[in-house]
Amino acid sequence: MIIRDARVFDGVNAKTQDNVDVLIEGPFVVAVSSAPVAGDASDGVIEIDAKGRFLMPGLSDAHVHLMGNANSMMEFLQGPTGALYGNTIAEAKRMLLRGFTTVRDMGGDTAPVKSLIDRGVFEGPRIFPSQAMISQTSGHADFSFVYDVPEEFGGAPSRTEDIHFTRVADGVPRVLAAVREQLKMGASQIKLTLGGGAASMYDPLNTLQYTPDEIRAAVQAATDYGTYVATHVYTPAGIARALDAGVTSIEHGHLADEATIALIAEKGAWLSMQPFAEDDHHYPDPVRAAKNTEICHGTDEVYGWAKQYGVKTAWGTDLLLEPQSAARQSVMAARLGDFYSNVDALTMLTSGNASLFELAGERNSYRGAKLGVIAEGSWADLILVNGDPIEDLSLIADPDANFALIVKGGQVIKNEA
């Protein structure tokens, strides 16, 4: 395939290149040339005339719950297991059509879905699975009912544990087993929940979850497997505990203070943040709605401090259990421009997130080529845009109208070019 006469944003450099031909062979970009690339249809070459339009790498999302995006709480608790996976596969296709060619899944049994997508059975983004979110009893990912007996006292696992969406594990031996279980099932990184959240039933935001020894055990087990731990946590005390135990990626962090953001920078850790607005999630329960409001109000200051201290920052959505809101992923991507320049936002959405994904080391099954860039030898994950998102980032909020071409791994997913 040759995409001719494109204006290329390569995912790294702020300056675009005009009148560029991009040659794709199989799943890879093999040439990015300011001179015309040879090839014609008689040799089986597909030619697409970009007509000077904006060509960029595929988008990425560093914090999705693909199964959670696709299913409601009632479907998790009462729906047939097959329907949960069917909904997940359908949402994977919709996510790809929104231009998201790579995602890091932060909780859910997505390794089997990833395998089917990678084999070409279904269409969807590349997936970096975490498998089940690991939580203490009464923690953010404890989805058992209040009357259920904890497993530690002989109770049965909850429904969400049965479907590998969560795993409750207390004490160092069980935490080690839980981490190793997720790695055995295909996790590329590990997700721990270390503090309260808006979606969870039992834990106020200020709770500290998991002891330092439990967190260190998880980090050791992940490190021994060549990968890292990411942690759901919002507060300064929780973030400090996570960093002290060797956690690599802080997920959320909206309630951090300036000193804590400076500490993230000092430790060289990542801040995987989401530009939340209050209407991204809907909580009829006033307690959870109040937690959501508190989280959202911290967004602006934390982004400001992250820029001030040069924190390595990734972007994600964390949409969960409201399938009707899944398409807000595109709106939230464009909203990143409220906090960063448009070109910095696009960089984070492409090569920036990819740098975080690559920390999975040999657990990264896509390490055969670069993600998030348009360069010789990179994966051929590309979007041709009607318009210039460096001038108007809101274009990415409406992929149906504005994405003329979507290519993933050299395969044309959408072509209105």
Side-chain angles (χ1 to χ4, degrees):
M1 183 190 308
I2 303 173
I3 302 174
R4 297 199 182 278
D5 187 25
R7 183 184 180 198
V8 172
F9 167 68
D10 65 5
V12 177
N13 296 296
K15 186 174 176 57
T16 58
Q17 290 181 276
D18 292 327
N19 309 118
V20 171
D21 283 6
V22 177
L23 174 62
I24 297 166
E25 292 183 1
F28 306 115
V29 173
V30 296
V32 180
S33 175
S34 56
V37 171
D40 60 65
S42 64
D43 295 328
V45 175
I46 299 169
E47 292 196 45
I48 296 173
D49 187 356
K51 299 179 180 177
R53 282 176 288 186
F54 190 97
L55 187 70
M56 62 177 285
L59 298 169
S60 60
D61 188 329
H63 195 121
V64 302
H65 294 278
L66 191 54
M67 185 171 278
N69 273 50
N71 295 281
S72 69
M73 177 64 85
M74 291 305 294
E75 287 170 316
F76 268 115
L77 297 179
Q78 296 184 338
T81 303
L84 295 174
Y85 288 93
N87 290 338
T88 301
I89 289 166
E91 175 56 28
K93 175 63 178 290
R94 291 190 290 268
M95 197 172 286
L96 182 59
L97 286 171
R98 293 195 286 272
F100 289 91
T101 54
T102 305
V103 299
R104 187 180 61 147
D105 193 278
M106 288 282 98
D109 188 22
T110 53
V113 177
K114 164 191 165 61
S115 177
L116 292 169
I117 291 171
D118 289 350
R119 284 161 44 202
V121 178
F122 296 106
E123 290 185 328
R126 305 178 193 278
I127 301 174
F128 285 78
S130 300
Q131 290 304 101
M133 296 180 280
I134 301 172
S135 170
Q136 68 174 42
T137 298
S138 80
H140 178 63
D142 181 353
F143 280 56
S144 64
F145 294 108
V146 70
Y147 49 75
D148 289 333
V149 176
E151 282 189 76
E152 193 71 22
F153 303 135
S158 67
R159 164 67 170 160
T160 58
E161 290 185 83
D162 286 340
I163 60 174
H164 308 297
F165 186 64
T166 65
R167 171 62 71 202
V168 174
D170 295 298
V172 166
R174 281 182 175 262
V175 168
L176 285 171
V179 170
R180 290 164 180 164
E181 176 190 33
Q182 308 324 308
L183 293 166
K184 179 176 72 173
M185 296 181 71
S188 55
Q189 64 283 320
I190 295 298
K191 167 76 174 297
L192 293 184
T193 62
L194 301 188
S200 42
M201 297 179 282
Y202 310 123
D203 50 350
L205 291 175
N206 64 352
T207 56
L208 283 169
Q209 298 174 18
Y210 277 131
T211 66
D213 285 346
E214 289 170 317
I215 303 168
R216 288 191 188 98
V219 169
Q220 184 66 63
T223 301
D224 288 348
Y225 233 71
T227 187
Y228 67 96
V229 169
T231 55
H232 162 104
V233 63
Y234 286 106
T235 64
I239 294 169
R241 179 176 288 190
L243 294 172
D244 187 58
V247 165
T248 297
S249 180
I250 301 299
E251 307 297 313
H252 314 315
H254 294 69
L255 303 181
D257 54 22
E258 183 176 356
T260 302
I261 299 301
L263 181 63
I264 294 174
E266 178 186 325
K267 294 285 189 178
W270 280 80
L271 176 64
S272 175
M273 185 98 168
Q274 304 76 37
F276 287 142
E278 287 189 54
D279 60 352
D280 288 331
H281 302 89
H282 304 92
Y283 298 108
D285 171 5
V287 173
R288 283 186 279 178
K291 290 195 286 185
N292 181 55
T293 297
E294 185 178 352
I295 290 165
C296 293
H297 285 179
T299 304
D300 190 54
E301 277 192 326
V302 171
Y303 270 131
W305 291 325
K307 289 187 288 186
Q308 178 182 341
Y309 288 98
V311 173
K312 294 180 288 189
T313 307
W315 171 89
T317 48
D318 194 33
L319 296 167
L320 184 65
L321 303 177
E322 295 179 347
Q324 70 278 11
S325 298
R328 292 185 72 86
Q329 182 181 36
S330 300
V331 175
M332 292 178 70
R335 192 186 300 150
L336 190 58
D338 293 347
F339 307 97
Y340 290 85
S341 71
N342 290 351
V343 72
D344 286 346
L346 287 173
T347 302
M348 193 184 300
L349 289 161
T350 53
S351 65
N353 278 354
S355 295
L356 173 57
F357 303 159
E358 288 166 2
L359 297 183
E362 292 191 5
R363 305 284 74 76
N364 169 14
S365 62
Y366 310 115
R367 63 187 181 278
K370 292 288 290 183
L371 290 166
V373 298
I374 299 175
E376 184 177 331
S378 68
W379 290 107
D381 301 345
L382 311 166
I383 302 171
L384 187 65
V385 185
N386 294 325
D388 184 349
I390 290 179
E391 294 296 325
D392 180 8
L393 193 62
S394 70
L395 292 169
I396 67 175
D398 189 355
D400 286 347
N402 299 319
F403 290 175
L405 176 73
I406 300 172
V407 177
K408 180 207 162 193
Q411 298 294 313
V412 175
I413 307 301
K414 173 186 176 180
N415 186 6
E416 297 177 356

